Amino acid sequence: MAVQAARRAFFKATSCSKQYVAFAKVSFASRLNGHGARHYSADPNDDLRVRHLDGEDAGIVVVGINRPKAKNSISKNLVKMMSEAVEDIKKDNRVRSVIICSLVPGIFCAGADLKERSKMHQSEVGPFVSKARALITELVSSFTGNLPVPTIAAIDGAALGGGLEMALACDIRITSSTAKMGLVETKLGIIPGAGGTQRLPRVIGVSLAKELIFAARVVDGTEACRLGLASHSVEQNKSGDAAYLRALELAREINPQGPIAIRMAKLAINQGTEVDLSTGLAIEEACYAQVIPTKDRLEGLSAFKEKRRPYFKGE
């Protein structure tokens, strides 16, 4: 079993590595102001705004949800725009990390757009939820090359239902102390349908996940951190963006590290945690093999020898 899993991981990792190198050859001439991408970044009234930071923060992409009148609820249009954003981001080898945040004070994402959902025919609900689930899955899937870079959810407000499911799909969650988080679907006579029943138990454990889902309980940022639902909880500031600022600090820590190494580490972790230890170690070995022939590895060794900071190119 371990050998077969390692072999599968090897071919998947090889594919990911080849895609990564190929991405470097792609030209992105149509950047917004030299840093953005696609039409959704251009209009401040768009549901989603994507910003490619520059200068010392080059490589950090901020994806901001912007639906103030609907409390950032997940609509068909938002799912479409996020899908397009993911497609752009995963093709750009210059991206080192992605921060998902809200541009609406006090709200991260209130979940599904129930007003829109109530107008849907019963036959439309299933496909819509499936598409939302596919999007959220794409945020967490590294083994196929979909967003293989670290994703950080900066939760400065309420993250409920599908909003929390979106955050759960990210690698790391940072929350302000005043944020509210919960999978509250049972209040509506339904269940979490975009991965919440699967991801929450994997993050905080089965028993606690059952308790929170069964009771539709909402916890604040401090409690979320205590439960392990968030990595960090920070006191909210006057501008209401404390979690975002902490997420930016973390992204800046990630930025100078070897990009291929980070992608392979994410691949090894995501695949390895789903199997037994012996198989996981074989997956790690297969992923390690992918960094050996890279120029980045040689640059890391040279920098160590010369006692200087390495300059990684993702090659």
Side-chain angles (χ1 to χ4, degrees):
M1 178 180 175
V3 173
Q4 292 176 342
R7 188 172 296 166
R8 287 196 297 270
F10 176 81
F11 285 116
K12 288 175 181 177
T14 301
S15 175
C16 181
S17 182
K18 287 179 179 178
Q19 289 175 27
Y20 185 88
V21 174
F23 293 160
K25 301 177 181 179
V26 179
S27 173
F28 291 87
S30 58
R31 292 287 176 193
L32 172 73
N33 297 326
H35 304 295
R38 287 186 184 264
H39 66 278
Y40 49 69
S41 297
D43 189 343
N45 295 316
D46 276 346
D47 287 356
L48 195 76
R49 298 182 67 188
V50 179
R51 187 159 56 104
H52 292 243
L53 304 189
D54 56 12
E56 293 184 356
D57 290 335
I60 301 173
V61 177
V62 180
V63 178
I65 307 173
N66 184 42
R67 301 194 72 217
K69 294 181 180 179
K71 297 183 178 180
N72 282 352
S73 56
I74 302 171
S75 64
K76 286 182 178 180
N77 187 53
L78 182 61
V79 170
K80 175 179 179 293
M81 295 180 100
M82 291 197 76
S83 296
E84 291 175 349
V86 166
E87 285 302 310
D88 276 349
I89 291 169
K90 74 182 185 181
K91 291 174 183 176
D92 191 343
N93 84 302
R94 293 171 293 184
V95 176
R96 302 294 178 91
S97 61
V98 176
I99 298 173
I100 299 177
C101 65
S102 168
L103 302 182
V104 181
I107 294 289
F108 176 74
C109 177
D113 189 333
L114 297 181
K115 289 183 179 179
E116 180 183 74
R117 186 79 63 86
S118 66
K119 296 176 183 177
M120 289 182 186
H121 186 272
Q122 185 174 335
S123 62
E124 295 180 281
V125 175
F128 173 76
V129 173
S130 294
K131 190 169 185 179
R133 183 186 299 113
L135 168 66
I136 293 172
T137 298
E138 194 158 25
L139 295 176
V140 79
S141 298
S142 66
F143 55 85
T144 59
N146 294 328
L147 282 190
V149 299
T151 53
I152 308 168
I155 306 169
D156 275 303
L160 304 173
L164 179 53
E165 288 178 301
M166 187 186 304
L168 283 167
C170 294
D171 297 306
I172 301 164
R173 286 160 296 284
I174 297 176
T175 179
S176 68
S177 56
T178 56
K180 303 295 182 184
M181 305 166 69
L183 296 178
V184 297
E185 285 84 352
T186 55
K187 283 186 177 181
L188 301 172
I190 57 177
I191 68 170
T197 63
Q198 302 306 304
R199 292 194 177 98
L200 187 61
R202 285 167 166 79
V203 170
I204 67 173
V206 173
S207 182
L208 272 175
K210 286 180 177 178
E211 182 177 335
L212 295 187
I213 292 173
F214 294 169
R217 184 177 301 157
V218 175
V219 299
D220 63 22
T222 302
E223 178 70 0
C225 191
R226 188 187 70 81
L227 294 174
L229 184 51
S231 299
H232 305 278
S233 177
V234 292
E235 288 296 321
Q236 188 56 281
N237 56 29
K238 291 182 179 180
S239 56
D241 61 354
Y244 167 72
L245 293 177
R246 181 65 184 88
L248 186 57
E249 288 179 9
L250 178 57
R252 286 168 174 163
E253 288 185 61
I254 294 170
N255 236 16
Q257 316 312 325
I260 298 178
I262 289 176
R263 291 177 179 229
M264 289 298 102
K266 179 171 175 175
L267 174 65
I269 293 168
N270 283 3
Q271 285 197 343
T273 52
E274 297 298 320
V275 297
D276 61 89
L277 179 59
S278 177
T279 305
L281 291 172
I283 290 172
E284 179 184 82
E285 183 178 5
C287 289
Y288 192 99
Q290 302 309 300
V291 303
I292 294 176
T294 65
K295 293 180 181 178
D296 278 358
R297 185 184 73 88
L298 298 178
E299 166 62 12
L301 291 174
S302 296
F304 178 78
K305 182 179 179 181
E306 297 165 14
K307 298 181 179 180
R308 59 173 175 83
R309 178 178 173 177
Y311 179 68
F312 297 116
K313 296 181 179 179
E315 298 175 355

